Amino acid sequence: YNYLMSLDKNAILVTHGDNDTFPLWYIQEVEEVRLDTRIMNTSLLGTDWYIDQMRRKTYDSDPVIFSLERKDYLYGKNEFPEVVDRINRPITLKEAITLFKDPRVKINRYGEQIDYIAQHKLRLPVNIENVKKYGIVSEDDYDKIVDTVYLDLPQEKSSVSKTELMILDMLSNYNWDRPIYFVSQGGDLDIGIRD
């Protein structure tokens, strides 16, 4: 109850594992508390059926916006796409996902054309106007708003999990119009989001 009541309207709450998630699902399903809030469990986000659920409106919660097509995340597809620095500068998450989906820029691995993330250093531009408009940052902290959030994948990381891919995809479409909270600094996400 305290977790949900501390969230701003129409929030996405990213959880990890059963213990973080099941009490929240219970209180929504049975007690009908904060039906505007979307609970997103990273332990399930690597499965196609769960991604499909996130793409639908649930109760009063808007769908999560992903740009990857279903064929890109079906079981057995893009389970651990590689991270290959093909661009010599940090790129936006939007650029990373656009290149990921582009059939003209695949790389060949073992005779197969595969999708990949084209840079370890990713940028998430901040829509400062929406941050203020939707109350994502309190007015007292407006002077602390940055124009870009940097997500640096660890340099030794040669691939991302499907869960990490979907979080990156969600963030690539993020317009700073609904708050996103993480229960445990990213849980099993190793995409530079902890900092």
Side-chain angles (χ1 to χ4, degrees):
Y1 179 85
N2 289 340
Y3 267 135
L4 293 182
M5 295 312 288
S6 70
L7 305 177
D8 288 331
K9 184 172 175 42
N10 201 30
I12 297 171
L13 179 61
V14 180
T15 62
H16 174 72
D18 299 350
N19 293 340
D20 284 349
T21 308
F22 289 171
L24 298 169
W25 280 347
Y26 165 82
I27 202 164
Q28 281 189 319
E29 292 278 338
V30 177
E31 305 291 336
E32 298 184 354
V33 172
R34 291 302 304 269
L35 300 181
D36 65 303
T37 301
R38 177 62 57 117
I39 309 300
M40 180 184 288
N41 183 330
T42 59
S43 300
L44 298 174
L45 194 58
T47 60
D48 49 17
W49 60 269
Y50 189 72
I51 297 166
D52 291 343
Q53 283 184 8
M54 293 293 101
R55 295 180 92 130
R56 293 192 289 265
K57 184 175 180 76
T58 302
Y59 306 119
D60 300 328
S61 172
D62 292 334
V64 175
I65 306 299
F66 295 113
S67 61
L68 293 176
E69 296 179 35
R70 193 165 198 278
K71 68 178 180 55
D72 296 321
Y73 63 80
L74 283 174
Y75 177 77
K77 178 75 171 166
N78 288 317
E79 297 297 332
F80 289 94
E82 291 184 26
V83 181
V84 181
D85 291 336
R86 300 284 299 258
I87 299 173
N88 293 326
R89 62 172 171 78
I91 61 175
T92 65
L93 283 168
K94 182 66 83 182
E95 289 174 304
I97 296 300
T98 299
L99 288 169
F100 184 88
K101 297 185 304 183
D102 190 334
R104 298 169 300 171
V105 294
K106 306 287 184 217
I107 56 175
N108 191 312
R109 288 289 188 261
Y110 312 110
E112 182 181 343
Q113 296 295 104
I114 64 168
D115 303 316
Y116 63 96
I117 300 294
Q119 179 52 260
H120 279 83
K121 296 190 177 301
L122 304 170
R123 298 182 304 114
L124 176 61
V126 176
N127 182 329
I128 295 173
E129 188 176 305
N130 277 358
V131 166
K132 294 175 180 178
K133 178 180 177 182
Y134 293 101
I136 292 174
V137 172
S138 71
E139 195 170 332
D140 293 342
D141 292 328
Y142 281 179
D143 62 324
K144 296 176 184 144
I145 300 172
V146 297
D147 62 356
T148 304
V149 173
Y150 292 92
L151 298 178
D152 292 339
L153 304 178
Q155 204 56 45
E156 68 278 2
K157 190 175 183 72
S158 62
S159 65
V160 293
S161 68
K162 187 181 292 184
T163 297
E164 292 168 326
L165 174 65
M166 297 313 295
I167 293 290
L168 293 173
D169 184 28
M170 174 187 71
L171 292 174
S172 78
N173 295 289
Y174 187 49
N175 200 25
W176 300 87
D177 53 355
R178 71 192 289 190
I180 300 175
Y181 299 86
F182 290 85
V183 169
S184 59
Q185 295 185 3
D188 60 349
L189 303 174
D190 191 14
I191 56 172
I193 207 159
R194 285 183 183 91
D195 292 339

